[in-house]
Amino acid sequence: MNQKKLPVQKNDIVTVEIEDLTHEGAGVAKIEGYALFIPNTIPGEVIEAKVLKTNKGYGFAKLLTVKEEVQSRIEPPCPIFHECGGCQIQHLNYEAQLDFKRNQVVNVLERLGGIKDVPVYPTLGMEEPWKYRNKSQVPFGERDGQLIAGFYQKRSHRIIDMDHCIIQQEENDIAIQAIKEIAARYQIKPYDEEKHRGTLRHVVVRYGKKTGELMVVLVTRGKELPHKQNIIDDIKEALPKVTSIVQNINGNKTNVIFGEKTLLLWGEEYIHDYIGDIRFAISARSFYQVNPVQTQVLYEKALEYADLKGHETVIDAYCGIGTISLFLAQKAKKVLGVEIVPEAISDAKHNARINSLDNVDFAVGEAEKVIPWWYSQGVRPEVLVVDPPRKGCDEKLLETIIQMKAERVVYVSCNPATLARDLKVLEEGGYQTKQVQPVDMFPQSTHVESVTQLTLKQ
Ligand code: SAH
């Protein structure tokens, strides 16, 4: 690689206009066609930046000063925004965040999917885009002999102490602070990642906003938890909303939070929450959407796009704990859900029971294996809903969807790039993309969620 040929060199100071934002929220400027990624900048702004690193095709620079500001720039309300990395776009006002998310969908669909002339509606946002998260997971550590708990500094494993996160529901912050005090009171040793010693690794708190039920999960390195009974009693006293205290044991050298084993210390194994009229039981390790207000908006849109009259058989692929399946079951004749994690399927079955919905069946397995098998057994759904992880749908699944000729497909996506790729395949196979609705599930972050409706071409 000949660095000399690049239009900029490391340590150069450049003045540039920001043209675009990456899906990670960094501004993009071009110098003679060479892209520079510059965090904390906004399209339309003219800025001065210092070049930090140059690769063959693109480089990175650091913002020095904003010379011409755009009106969508605001002072990030969180004092630790730049250190933390949990949020990426607090420096954009909310309206601009919603536009950014819609534009991501529009651009990626066209660029990667060749899909144009399809309505992509304005992103559905929150009235109050703060204090929305129902789950907080906080690493514990030590500094100068003091117990601390907070977040990992951006791109590092250094824990920064924190007592307030403005995207968390307040109950979560209160609970984390209380547990920090209790753990310090009994001199519980935090986990030391390097030496693989100590007791308390993470505390995870989940809160059911509609039911007021609070779960505390203490993630420990081994089974032993000194002063266990005192800790339980003090948590109950400090947090009157707590209905579930569990211990999860993770003895592995890993940055995965949970281990395999979960012990009930007090109360129930589950907390409950409602999305619409459906009640969900959520256990310590279950996947459950983190923004309950917007989850309802998302699922209602999925239900609208499914356009059910009551006679339909519906498949819900990648169903998790059956959240969308149960929503659909209120309006369909029959729903079949499939999901790869066995515990999620047992939660899904439990959730069907507690809502007295008996027109749903759940299967454990890979969607790309189970759905072709259902097809071979004569299952012919009128509607198919997919909600895959970031990597999108498996090719084999898309093939089967095309063979099945369902009248409608509803695609819930957390990644516009794989959505675009998959829509292209479905379009080539006889489906038409009708409409796309981005929904803001994660205000202040760059995550882009959307629901798409496809129908069979006539
Ligand atoms: N629809 C659910 C969950 C969506 S998350 C909700 O809204 O809550 C995506 C889910 O797909 C996860 O639960 C994950 O475990 C599951 N999954 C991942 N790969 C899979 C596969 N190949 N087949 C079936 N499920 C899969």
Side-chain angles (χ1 to χ4, degrees):
M1 182 173 61
N2 184 354
Q3 285 281 352
K4 292 237 163 59
K5 281 194 181 150
L6 299 177
V8 288
Q9 306 294 321
K10 188 175 168 178
N11 294 329
D12 281 359
I13 308 280
V14 292
T15 298
V16 286
E17 179 170 345
I18 304 299
E19 295 176 19
D20 202 358
L21 279 180
T22 66
H23 67 277
E24 285 159 344
V28 188
K30 296 256 173 74
I31 298 179
E32 296 167 35
Y34 180 81
L36 271 184
F37 298 117
I38 313 166
N40 305 314
T41 59
I42 303 175
E45 284 182 338
V46 176
I47 60 127
E48 195 174 72
K50 181 173 178 178
V51 178
L52 298 178
K53 188 168 191 274
T54 53
N55 295 328
K56 212 173 182 175
Y58 56 88
F60 297 92
K62 182 180 168 200
L63 171 67
L64 296 177
T65 45
V66 179
K67 300 206 141 182
E68 284 172 38
E69 200 171 282
V70 288
Q71 155 265 326
S72 54
R73 176 179 283 278
I74 56 168
E75 188 57 36
C78 174
I80 51 175
F81 169 64
H82 294 292
E83 281 174 287
C84 167
C87 299
Q88 302 84 37
I89 50 174
Q90 277 192 18
H91 60 298
L92 258 65
N93 70 22
Y94 194 49
E95 204 187 319
Q97 291 185 17
L98 296 176
D99 284 347
F100 160 70
K101 294 187 183 192
R102 176 178 181 272
N103 289 341
Q104 284 284 322
V105 176
V106 172
N107 296 341
V108 170
L109 285 189
E110 180 163 350
R111 189 158 47 84
L112 302 179
I115 295 163
K116 299 182 263 196
D117 308 323
V118 170
V120 178
Y121 304 118
T123 310
L124 296 174
M126 297 186 80
E127 254 170 55
E128 173 61 33
W130 305 103
K131 298 184 186 170
Y132 62 82
R133 280 187 66 99
N134 58 13
K135 182 168 86 167
S136 173
Q137 9 195 52
V138 172
F140 273 62
E142 201 166 31
R143 172 123 30 92
D144 306 328
Q146 294 275 16
L147 191 72
I148 56 169
F151 61 94
Y152 291 116
Q153 192 175 17
K154 240 188 241 177
R155 289 182 289 276
S156 96
H157 264 211
R158 195 177 123 88
I159 296 169
I160 309 258
D161 200 34
M162 175 187 70
D163 50 32
H164 184 49
C165 170
I166 58 180
I167 61 166
Q168 286 289 348
Q169 291 180 5
E170 271 164 346
E171 285 74 9
N172 294 346
D173 273 345
I174 293 169
I176 297 285
Q177 287 322 304
I179 296 160
K180 214 193 281 189
E181 278 173 35
I182 293 166
R185 188 175 306 153
Y186 295 104
Q187 294 172 356
I188 302 300
K189 279 273 162 213
Y191 178 62
D192 180 329
E193 205 173 36
E194 269 163 30
K195 301 197 181 104
H196 193 51
R197 277 208 300 242
T199 302
L200 188 58
R201 298 179 68 133
H202 270 83
V203 171
V204 179
V205 176
R206 302 187 97 159
Y207 182 62
K209 197 180 171 69
K210 295 257 177 79
T211 57
E213 295 177 9
L214 183 79
M215 172 184 276
V216 169
V217 189
L218 306 171
V219 184
T220 55
R221 182 172 64 89
K223 188 166 183 293
E224 203 208 339
L225 175 61
H227 306 283
K228 191 191 280 180
Q229 195 53 49
N230 292 341
I231 291 175
I232 296 170
D233 292 342
D234 287 11
I235 291 177
K236 278 158 59 184
E237 198 187 314
L239 302 170
K241 287 186 174 172
V242 77
T243 54
S244 167
I245 307 178
V246 299
Q247 180 183 0
N248 175 273
I249 300 165
N250 185 356
N252 301 327
K253 285 189 175 174
T254 170
N255 52 15
V256 175
I257 295 178
F258 287 121
E260 288 301 314
K261 203 167 171 155
T262 305
L263 307 171
L264 181 64
L265 298 182
W266 178 81
E268 286 191 273
E269 258 173 85
Y270 296 101
I271 56 160
H272 299 89
D273 195 21
Y274 283 89
I275 303 175
D277 295 329
I278 310 267
R279 182 174 164 88
F280 291 98
I282 307 149
S283 56
R285 291 175 58 197
S286 302
F287 174 86
Y288 184 68
Q289 296 278 359
V290 295
N291 183 338
V293 173
Q294 290 300 88
T295 299
Q296 182 163 351
V297 174
L298 182 76
Y299 291 177
E300 266 164 13
K301 195 44 83 173
L303 194 60
E304 180 193 321
Y305 283 179
D307 195 13
L308 300 172
K309 306 283 184 285
H311 63 274
E312 297 91 348
T313 297
V314 185
I315 287 180
D316 180 19
Y318 309 92
C319 70
I321 62 168
T323 32
I324 298 180
S325 317
L326 298 185
F327 235 67
L328 296 163
Q330 303 173 97
K331 295 275 170 69
K333 182 165 143 230
K334 176 94 201 168
V335 178
L336 299 170
V338 54
E339 155 68 43
I340 201 167
V341 175
E343 292 87 348
I345 288 295
S346 61
D347 284 357
K349 288 180 175 165
H350 176 87
N351 288 327
R353 272 197 305 277
I354 62 176
N355 289 284
S356 307
L357 287 164
D358 53 13
N359 57 338
V360 252
D361 275 338
F362 291 104
V364 179
E366 291 164 80
E368 57 272 24
K369 294 216 173 108
V370 173
I371 295 174
W373 186 77
W374 281 341
Y375 179 63
S376 75
Q377 298 301 298
V379 176
R380 297 289 180 273
E382 281 83 7
V383 178
L384 231 138
V385 178
V386 297
D387 182 9
R390 288 188 62 77
K391 68 174 195 262
C393 292
D394 189 273
E395 243 171 87
K396 187 85 190 29
L397 173 62
L398 294 173
E399 234 171 74
T400 308
I401 295 176
I402 289 165
Q403 287 169 347
M404 274 182 158
K405 294 197 173 1
E407 288 163 28
R408 283 178 296 288
V409 174
V410 179
Y411 194 134
V412 182
S413 158
C414 57
N415 182 351
T418 53
L419 171 71
R421 179 200 70 197
D422 293 350
L423 292 184
K424 189 171 183 206
V425 175
L426 291 171
E427 290 231 341
E428 283 160 6
Y431 283 92
Q432 187 169 12
T433 308
K434 282 289 191 194
Q435 46 189 342
V436 186
Q437 177 63 68
V439 179
D440 191 18
M441 300 295 283
F442 308 99
Q444 320 306 330
S445 88
T446 50
H447 294 287
V448 181
E449 188 96 14
S450 61
V451 194
T452 299
Q453 185 193 46
L454 299 104
T455 56
L456 268 186
K457 282 182 195 154
Q458 295 303 324

